[in-house]
Amino acid sequence: MEQFSQAADNNKSVIAEVLDDWLPARASVLEIGSGSGQHAIHMGSSLARVSWQPTEHPDRLETLASNLARYAPANVHGPLPLDLALEGWSVQSFDCVFSANVIHIVSESLGERLIVGGAQATGAGGLLILYGPFTYRGEFTTDSNRDFDQWLRSRDEKSGVRSFEWVEHIAERAGLVLAEDRAMPANNQCLVFKRS
């Protein structure tokens, strides 16, 4: 597989458990920032009832498309280009919008667009599920997350571990309510928001 990510491989099974708990039967999922496609391939294989739509920035679509063509099951669709910097996503309505390890990589303004766009791309009772590390009441949950935040900001000062309270505020403003905040391995969280 091109651009294999060990981190994505490590967390795919526990994320699949969260999705299995929350997704309705025959669910449609829009993934924001599919990267190499490892999550899409695993979720498509593990959750056969799910129709999975991967997306990636247009500049990074080629590797994703190649990996999906080689390894993805039939319920994983060909990838769509999606640039968070552009207003409005030309996508249909989905039961769930899912994004892993994106919100701390992009700038805060693009992170807000991810949340708001995700809310707009879900129908009644739809879900927005975000995976990654977060701070709570201004505090890092572990020293390793603090170190990770410093490393992110040294690469790009606009990136960094986001505040749970900030994410929840943006989500609520977009018509979503927190349904679950599940602790995950390696000091990460899975935030499940539902359209109110």
Side-chain angles (χ1 to χ4, degrees):
M1 173 175 285
E2 297 177 61
Q3 296 183 6
F4 175 84
S5 164
Q6 189 60 53
D9 202 57
N10 291 345
N11 63 34
K12 64 187 182 185
S13 295
V14 289
I15 293 174
E17 290 174 11
V18 176
L19 293 170
D20 194 32
D21 288 345
W22 279 99
L23 292 177
R26 303 179 186 279
S28 59
V29 177
L30 176 70
E31 182 183 15
I32 308 302
S34 300
S36 66
Q38 286 167 248
H39 282 153
I41 293 163
H42 180 77
M43 304 310 165
S45 301
S46 302
L47 306 170
R49 72 184 196 274
V50 170
S51 171
W52 195 275
Q53 178 59 69
T55 70
E56 188 49 82
H57 189 278
D59 294 344
R60 294 188 289 275
L61 207 60
E62 189 174 334
T63 297
L64 173 61
S66 174
N67 286 339
L68 293 177
R70 194 168 301 166
Y71 302 109
N75 59 326
V76 176
H77 304 288
L80 296 176
L82 196 154
D83 186 349
L84 291 174
L86 300 178
E87 292 286 353
W89 302 353
S90 56
V91 295
Q92 63 192 52
S93 181
F94 290 82
D95 297 309
C96 174
V97 174
F98 166 76
S99 185
N101 295 321
V102 173
I103 199 161
H104 55 265
I105 298 295
V106 299
S107 68
E108 195 170 273
S109 62
L110 293 185
E112 181 171 352
R113 287 196 183 182
L114 191 161
I115 297 167
V116 173
Q120 292 171 345
T122 60
L127 302 168
L128 171 67
I129 300 180
L130 302 175
Y131 172 89
F134 298 93
T135 63
Y136 290 82
R137 295 174 295 280
E139 299 291 333
F140 292 95
T141 56
T142 63
D143 289 340
S144 62
N145 279 355
R146 180 182 290 104
D147 294 342
F148 181 52
D149 178 72
Q150 291 173 352
W151 178 80
L152 286 169
R153 294 177 190 277
S154 71
R155 291 171 62 246
D156 180 356
E157 62 183 15
K158 293 181 179 179
S159 66
V161 174
R162 302 301 172 204
S163 155
F164 164 79
E165 291 81 10
W166 175 80
V167 172
E168 185 178 36
H169 173 71
I170 301 298
E172 286 180 348
R173 213 173 61 195
L176 302 170
V177 294
L178 183 70
E180 184 181 13
D181 179 358
R182 187 181 301 191
M184 305 290 277
N187 308 312
N188 289 299
Q189 303 292 131
C190 226
L191 306 183
V192 180
F193 293 96
K194 191 168 187 177
R195 181 170 282 287
S196 54

